[in-house]
Amino acid sequence: YYIYAYPEDLDEEMPRSVLIYFSYDNDLDPERKACLYRNILLYQEPDSELYASYEPRIRDYAMDCLFEGKIDEKLAVIYDRMLFPNMIDRRSAAILPDILKSHHMTTGDRRAKSVRLRSPELSYEERYPLVSGSAYVPIYFEDTDILFVDASGSVLEDIVYADRPLLKRPDLLKRCFEICPEHPMLKLAAAKNVLKKGLENDTEAAILSDAFQKLRLSIPFQSSIIKALCSHKGGVSAFRDTDLDGYGEDIRSLVFRGLLKEGYFEDAYLRLRRYGEDLLGEGDAELLAASLIRTGSIPTVKGETDGFFMSLCLRAFHEGSECREILEFLTRSYEGSSEDMYELLERADSLSCEVYELPEKVVTAKLFTSSDEHLDESFDIYLRRCEQKENIICAYLTVRCDRYFEKEDDSLPDSFFEILYSYVSSAEDYEKLPDIYLLALTKHYQEKESLLQNEADLCQRLVDILISHGLVFRYTKALKKKISIPKEICERYYIEYHGDRETPPRLYVRISPEDEDFHREEMVRVYGGIYVMSTILFVEDELHYMIYDDSVSDSTVQEGTISVKKLHGREKDRYSMLDSMTRDLKEARIDELSEGLKEYLLMDGERRSMFDIKD
């Protein structure tokens, strides 16, 4: 009854008779035992006979309470005096740390119903109920947030409380970690210590990796571990399977580059595919793409190359990569805009990479999308690097000849005309060649300062064919200085207009000084959208013309003047005689005019008699 009546807050030695009484087989309930054993440990000398009689029982009692996870003020004294490192086994080491780190939390505020512990390193919190305003809770770290909450779970901001740690036995705690390093809080403490002082070796890296993988850590603390491990060789392997959805861009990028650096290319690719190309730093795209190609690990989706991998290779290319593996992969697999493919083709060709069928793809894409940019350069590579196909060559020549002749594009390179000459000159029958080839080549010859003999011979044959087909243009007459052109063509003057083949232009002319007003003349569509009108003019004639591109427009699209300043070059020609007489009349040379008239009438009479021409 004395023991049961012993006050909780009384701190004095119990009577010796009481202690002797319980040294025999008389027993107490566990709570009263704690009161008795505490008193013995506090006030009896360890070398006394009475202490010795109690010691085994107290030690057994301490272990029983330890395994039950019990702790209070009295048990704290018992644990402190009875537990030694050599007594700790694996079973007790899993439980003892919570006891060693226990704090006695008390408050007189009746609103408080529980204590909530929140560690910044953990993603969860622990809650302990208050009993009569008191609770025993394990607090491992000084930065742990201690919150008191009411019955509804609301935090009490202004509460007053007392916090007293019960035990301080670092030797026992160290022993627990040695025997049971998987204890969550000991594992966390070890990880915090490594981060605080700095990661130095593989053993410490293993501690951080283990904590990261097995503890429920907060994102900020996980981020700290990631940063430390990524700076240590081999440390990034801990994150190969980690979901990084909740992390910031800096951490994702750090893990990605760590995986890339350590050679985990497939894992790095999966991270990149999931979180986007913002993870890439300078040179990363080239390194990752080339490594996957070299190792035969090109990602696929349903048997086809993954489109994201293709975009990764293209990014490396656009960043200026000259990696042969990447370039040859793209030349074999990439199909995009004709200009993008040309840029790829140009670089691959300059580095003597394999180009496969890319030149043909580029040329055909540009031809059928009417893209002129780099068409000639692409075709040049096609001729050098691919097996040539007749239909592609013809398509290129047709498009370019039309551009040059009908669209009047003078920017074509000399290489085009060399190809055109080679193709035309090697033909067995010029008559079977498309007219546009003949037109383009002969017009080019007209623009050259001089022709070689083989060019002049070819030009003559081609022009003869064109004239026989009725294809006579302004440039045809100009060729008379290089080849033989019929007299009836040379005697005429030509107005030429390149427009819409479906909408004929309107032509108005006036010949000064005879005409006072413009009058309508018809233009004949000779080829495509090219219209021509020819006429005969004499010395001092000046033909003014205006062209409208449709039947209603009031704005001219072309205007000009043709002035005749000299006689025709051919002697005894009907028109040259008329030119001469016109000049004599204007300058009042009567004798010369008279002789000219006589000669003209004589020639005209002879012509009429020869061909029986009626007046």
Side-chain angles (χ1 to χ4, degrees):
Y1 287 107
Y2 177 85
I3 295 298
Y4 276 89
Y6 194 84
E8 287 287 337
D9 56 351
L10 185 61
D11 201 10
E12 63 180 30
E13 181 181 0
M14 291 182 177
R16 185 173 178 80
S17 59
V18 174
L19 300 180
I20 294 174
Y21 174 81
F22 286 107
S23 67
Y24 296 102
D25 292 335
N26 298 306
D27 210 350
L28 290 167
D29 62 71
E31 185 176 351
R32 296 298 182 270
K33 282 184 181 180
C35 181
L36 173 65
Y37 294 160
R38 173 182 179 275
N39 196 273
I40 291 171
L41 294 174
L42 288 176
Y43 298 108
Q44 300 301 314
E45 293 295 329
D47 57 353
S48 67
E49 183 179 349
L50 185 61
Y51 187 96
S53 67
Y54 269 98
E55 185 176 16
R57 294 162 59 185
I58 298 175
R59 185 178 298 109
D60 290 343
Y61 175 75
M63 294 304 295
D64 289 340
C65 291
L66 185 156
F67 288 130
E68 293 178 14
K70 292 181 178 180
I71 182 65
D72 58 23
E73 300 280 356
K74 297 183 288 294
L75 283 171
V77 174
I78 296 172
Y79 289 144
D80 187 46
R81 299 293 181 89
M82 288 290 100
L83 297 181
F84 299 96
N86 60 359
M87 298 171 58
I88 306 302
D89 59 13
R90 187 173 182 82
R91 180 186 173 194
S92 57
I95 302 171
L96 184 56
D98 281 357
I99 293 174
L100 295 174
K101 285 293 185 177
S102 288
H103 287 231
H104 188 196
M105 313 294 297
T106 56
T107 180
D109 195 320
R110 295 183 178 181
R111 296 175 300 165
K113 302 302 179 183
S114 61
V115 179
R116 186 186 297 170
L117 302 182
R118 182 184 296 164
S119 174
E121 292 81 20
L122 299 173
S123 62
Y124 61 94
E125 60 184 24
E126 299 283 2
R127 181 177 293 189
Y128 301 88
L130 287 166
V131 177
S132 301
S134 175
Y136 295 93
V137 298
I139 301 177
Y140 283 83
F141 309 109
E142 293 180 358
D143 57 355
T144 300
D145 289 333
I146 302 171
L147 306 172
F148 286 83
V149 297
D150 60 19
S152 66
S154 299
V155 176
L156 301 171
E157 300 289 352
D158 56 348
I159 195 168
V160 177
Y161 67 94
D163 170 14
R164 189 174 77 83
L166 299 179
L167 289 163
K168 190 174 182 179
R169 292 291 302 276
D171 57 331
L172 293 179
L173 201 62
K174 179 181 179 182
R175 177 63 176 167
C176 289
F177 187 68
E178 292 172 351
I179 296 177
C180 186
E182 65 271 17
H183 186 283
M185 292 298 104
L186 297 182
K187 195 187 299 289
L188 177 59
K192 289 184 65 173
N193 183 57
V194 170
L195 290 178
K196 182 178 180 180
K197 71 179 187 60
L199 176 58
E200 296 177 352
N201 52 55
D202 292 343
T203 300
E204 293 178 344
I207 292 174
L208 293 182
S209 177
D210 190 50
F212 183 88
Q213 294 174 342
K214 296 179 180 178
L215 299 182
R216 295 159 57 193
L217 303 175
S218 64
I219 293 295
F221 192 66
Q222 284 182 328
S223 298
S224 298
I225 292 179
I226 290 173
K227 291 177 181 178
L229 286 176
C230 284
S231 65
H232 184 77
K233 185 177 181 180
V236 75
S237 60
F239 317 118
R240 292 180 62 183
D241 301 320
T242 302
D243 184 343
L244 300 177
D245 286 356
Y247 297 86
E249 194 71 27
D250 58 332
I251 296 299
R252 293 175 183 174
S253 182
L254 194 62
V255 171
F256 167 75
R257 285 196 291 274
L259 292 170
L260 197 59
K261 181 180 178 181
E262 296 292 334
Y264 298 111
F265 301 117
E266 293 182 56
D267 296 297
Y269 177 78
L270 293 176
R271 290 287 184 280
L272 183 66
R273 197 180 193 285
R274 180 164 184 172
Y275 300 115
E277 293 188 9
D278 288 343
L279 299 183
L280 292 169
E282 185 178 356
D284 289 346
E286 179 182 79
L287 174 59
L288 180 55
S291 300
L292 290 173
I293 294 172
R294 290 189 191 111
T295 57
S297 305
I298 296 175
T300 59
V301 176
K302 296 181 179 179
E304 300 291 335
T305 301
D306 187 358
F308 186 81
F309 179 73
M310 183 69 74
S311 69
L312 179 67
C313 292
L314 287 172
R315 175 168 180 146
F317 168 73
H318 290 308
E319 288 178 351
S321 173
E322 295 185 350
C323 174
R324 179 175 292 273
E325 288 89 351
I326 294 176
L327 293 177
E328 292 189 349
F329 169 78
L330 289 173
T331 59
R332 182 175 64 251
S333 307
Y334 177 61
E335 292 184 1
S337 70
S338 62
E339 196 54 27
D340 282 347
M341 289 195 294
Y342 168 73
E343 187 179 352
L344 170 62
L345 174 61
E346 183 184 38
R347 189 177 306 170
D349 180 60
S350 68
L351 297 172
S352 300
C353 296
E354 180 61 62
V355 295
Y356 301 98
E357 297 180 353
L358 184 61
E360 182 176 317
K361 292 179 183 178
V362 175
V363 171
T364 54
K366 287 185 174 295
L367 286 174
F368 291 105
T369 57
S370 300
S371 173
D372 289 321
E373 191 170 8
H374 298 123
L375 173 58
D376 302 298
E377 296 88 341
S378 303
F379 191 75
D380 176 65
I381 299 175
Y382 168 75
L383 291 179
R384 289 189 288 103
R385 303 294 300 272
C386 291
E387 182 179 349
Q388 298 166 21
K389 297 179 181 178
E390 179 76 12
N391 59 339
I392 293 179
I393 294 175
C394 290
Y396 168 75
L397 291 177
T398 301
V399 167
R400 271 309 189 220
C401 286
D402 179 76
R403 185 77 179 180
Y404 169 68
F405 184 77
E406 191 165 356
K407 305 299 189 302
E408 299 185 288
D409 184 353
D410 295 328
S411 63
L412 299 184
D414 292 339
S415 60
F416 160 70
F417 295 104
E418 292 171 2
I419 296 169
L420 179 60
Y421 168 77
S422 177
Y423 186 85
V424 171
S425 62
S426 63
E428 294 181 0
D429 187 352
Y430 300 148
E431 289 277 2
K432 293 182 179 180
L433 291 172
D435 288 338
I436 191 64
Y437 295 4
L438 279 59
L439 291 169
L441 188 56
T442 53
K443 182 183 178 183
H444 171 64
Y445 284 155
Q446 183 272 318
E447 293 173 347
K448 291 185 68 174
E449 290 186 7
S450 61
L451 300 181
L452 300 175
Q453 187 59 49
N454 62 320
E455 294 175 330
D457 293 342
L458 178 61
C459 183
Q460 185 69 66
R461 296 179 65 183
L462 300 182
V463 169
D464 290 344
I465 293 172
L466 292 172
I467 292 174
S468 69
H469 292 173
L471 298 173
V472 177
F473 301 88
R474 186 168 51 202
Y475 87 91
T476 308
K477 176 181 176 180
L479 277 168
K480 66 183 181 179
K481 296 179 180 180
K482 297 182 176 71
I483 61 173
S484 176
I485 300 297
K487 178 177 65 175
E488 57 271 20
I489 293 176
C490 294
E491 290 174 341
R492 304 185 72 85
Y493 293 86
Y494 295 85
I495 299 173
E496 189 173 306
Y497 173 69
H498 293 240
D500 185 349
R501 67 174 64 198
E502 303 299 331
T503 306
R506 288 180 293 141
L507 171 65
Y508 292 89
V509 302
R510 181 181 67 188
I511 299 177
S512 300
E514 287 81 3
D515 297 333
E516 294 183 359
D517 299 318
F518 282 91
H519 60 275
R520 177 80 178 267
E521 290 286 348
E522 292 299 322
M523 298 192 79
V524 178
R525 187 171 73 86
V526 181
Y527 181 88
I530 304 175
Y531 296 83
V532 175
M533 190 281 285
S534 66
T535 186
I536 295 174
L537 298 174
F538 300 103
V539 174
E540 303 301 329
D541 281 348
E542 189 171 77
L543 183 145
H544 300 265
Y545 67 90
M546 298 184 298
I547 300 176
Y548 301 84
D549 63 357
D550 55 41
S551 60
V552 296
S553 176
D554 57 1
S555 298
T556 60
V557 291
Q558 186 173 313
E559 296 184 44
T561 301
I562 300 175
S563 299
V564 182
K565 301 296 184 182
K566 62 181 180 179
L567 296 173
H568 286 281
R570 298 177 185 269
E571 293 296 335
K572 301 300 181 180
D573 180 86
R574 178 184 177 195
Y575 298 109
S576 64
M577 293 177 69
L578 289 172
D579 278 343
S580 180
M581 288 187 290
T582 301
R583 191 178 187 89
D584 291 339
L585 177 62
K586 183 175 181 181
E587 296 178 1
R589 295 198 294 261
I590 304 303
D591 292 340
E592 288 82 352
L593 176 60
S594 176
E595 289 298 324
L597 280 170
K598 291 176 183 180
E599 188 175 2
Y600 181 82
L601 291 173
L602 180 60
M603 179 189 295
D604 190 55
E606 291 175 352
R607 181 177 61 85
R608 290 173 180 273
S609 63
M610 287 177 63
F611 297 101
D612 193 22
I613 298 175
K614 305 298 182 182
D615 290 332

